[in-house]
Each structure stands twice: as C-alpha cells, then as structure tokens.
Amino acid sequence: MRIRILAALAALAFLAPVAADSHSNHEPAPDKAAIEGMVRDYLLKNPEVIEEAIGILRAKRREEDRKRAEAAIAENGEALREHPMSPVSGNAQGDVTVVEFFDYRCGFCKRTLPAMEALLKEDANVRVVWKEFPILGPVSVFAARAAMAADRQGKYYPFHLALMKEPELTDGKVVELAVGAGLDMERLRRDMEDPAIQAYLDETRALAQQIGIDGTPAFVIGGRLVGGAVDAARMKELVAAARADGNRG
C-alpha cells in the first residue's frame, strides 16, 4: 500500500539535491513553483496515491485513538467498574466485566439488548456494569434518572429492560413503565430529584469523554473500547477474548 507514496516521497527527496547541484554549477535551480507543479502533475496522474495516503493516515489515527482509549480505561478502571452508584447485573464476582454506556432512546442500544440479555442468561461468570449515558435529549435524561432511582428499590434490571424495549419513549411512558414494574412511585419521584443522581450522570458523561466515547452504545470489555451495536455472537467473542488475554476488567 505504501509503495506509491514512498515513490512520490523519494522523487521529492531526489529533487532537493538535484536543485542544489544545479545551483552550485551556476545553473538555474528549479523554483518552488516548479517543484510544486511536478508534484501536482504526479498526483493528478496517480490519484490513487492520495487515497492510499488517506487510508494510512486514518489507520494511524485509529491506532492512536485505540491507545489513548486503553490508557484512559486503565487510568479510570475503578470509576468504570466499581463505582458504588453504577447498577450491576449478573455475577457480582464474575471473572469478566462488561461495561456498557447507553441511552434509552438509542436505536442501536435497543438492537444490542438481545445480545446483553443472552450474555447474562448464558454466561454465569460475567458481570455487567450499566453506565447511563443520556445524550439524546431531555427524555433520555428523565429515563436515566428514573432508572437510577429504580436501582435504589432493587428493580433496576427489569425496569431497564422495559425502558429499552419501548420503541418510543416519552416522560409519560417512562412513568407508565415504572408503574408496570411495581415501583413505589412516590419514592421514585423523590429519588429522581436527588442531586446525587444528576451528579453521577454528569460524572459518567465526563468519564465517557475522557475515554473517547461520543456515541452509544459503547462497551469496555477487558480493557478494550468497542463502539457500536454488537450481536450475541460478537459479544461472546469479545468476552472470550478478554478471558483468554487475562485482561478481564
């Protein structure tokens, strides 16, 4: 992939000493405009070089982003996996921790839900940490605060499933689902207004930004950041890889 780009760079490198030698022999040296014209002509005749260069640059940036994310994950391991306010499902002593950042109004999060349900049903040694990351508007924030309040009543997971399976959430629908989940509504409303819950959501947003998460869903599995919807087969692969690597979170 890099052959053509290297050839172009070599040609440019060749021009410099040629220009210097010509100048020392009292011959006119190619000026900057001439050199730029030569480069332009080369690129116009070989436009695939630009495409290759862009591909290499993108790959380099992806690798840099990966390294930054992994460093941030390592630095914030406790906040990611052990925050006392983060709801947890599955085996509390599980050997692999899956952290999901999600929004209840996110279509890709809803698409990923079956994979998360299957993981919890089929893997007795997995631990899931739910990170409320409401980025899609006021209804998302309202739902996240309600879910955090439901956790205080020991009903986070069933309420989480109800919210995630609802196609079109509104504040009224969130309340309706909370009633259906058997939550104490007076207590729920009171807890939703607790400043500690909003502070936690703000903290989670800052954590996501530090790691480099700017969309949902996003997963941290075994020290690795995985973005986008994940199906059940892929989720099993990621968990298995974390176990095999010994980096289990």
Side-chain angles (χ1 to χ4, degrees), residues 106-146:
C106 166
F108 291 107
C109 298
K110 294 179 185 298
R111 188 181 302 176
T112 299
L113 181 63
M116 299 302 291
E117 288 185 281
L119 180 68
L120 287 167
K121 289 177 181 177
E122 299 170 10
D123 193 329
N125 288 315
V126 75
R127 176 175 178 266
V128 173
V129 176
W130 306 103
K131 288 291 189 180
E132 304 278 346
F133 186 39
I135 58 175
L136 298 178
V139 174
S140 294
V141 175
F142 186 84
R145 287 167 49 203

Side-chain angles (χ1 to χ4, degrees), residues 24 28 39-40 46 48 58 75 105 109 115 148-149 167 171 177-178 228 231 243:
S24 64
V39 173
R40 181 176 183 277
N46 302 274
E48 64 275 11
R58 286 175 176 168
E75 182 180 348
R105 297 182 63 232
C109 298
M148 293 299 299
D171 287 3
L177 293 172
D231 63 18
R243 285 196 174 106

Side-chain angles (χ1 to χ4, degrees), residues 128-219:
V128 173
V129 176
W130 306 103
K131 288 291 189 180
E132 304 278 346
F133 186 39
I135 58 175
L136 298 178
V139 174
S140 294
V141 175
F142 186 84
R145 287 167 49 203
M148 293 299 299
D151 188 48
R152 297 184 178 184
Q153 297 186 38
K155 295 184 177 182
Y156 179 86
Y157 187 59
F159 187 46
H160 170 85
L161 294 180
L163 289 170
M164 197 61 76
K165 291 178 180 180
E166 176 57 40
E168 296 292 338
L169 277 179
T170 62
D171 287 3
K173 179 59 70 172
V174 171
V175 171
E176 180 183 325
L177 293 172
V179 172
L183 289 161
D184 179 333
M185 295 306 296
E186 182 177 348
R187 180 183 175 187
L188 187 80
R189 291 189 177 92
R190 182 173 64 250
D191 287 341
M192 286 177 65
E193 298 303 319
D194 186 342
I197 286 181
Q198 187 58 53
Y200 171 76
L201 295 178
D202 293 341
E203 182 181 335
T204 300
R205 181 182 291 268
L207 177 62
Q209 291 174 344
Q210 186 170 351
I211 295 171
I213 297 172
D214 57 7
T216 54
F219 303 87

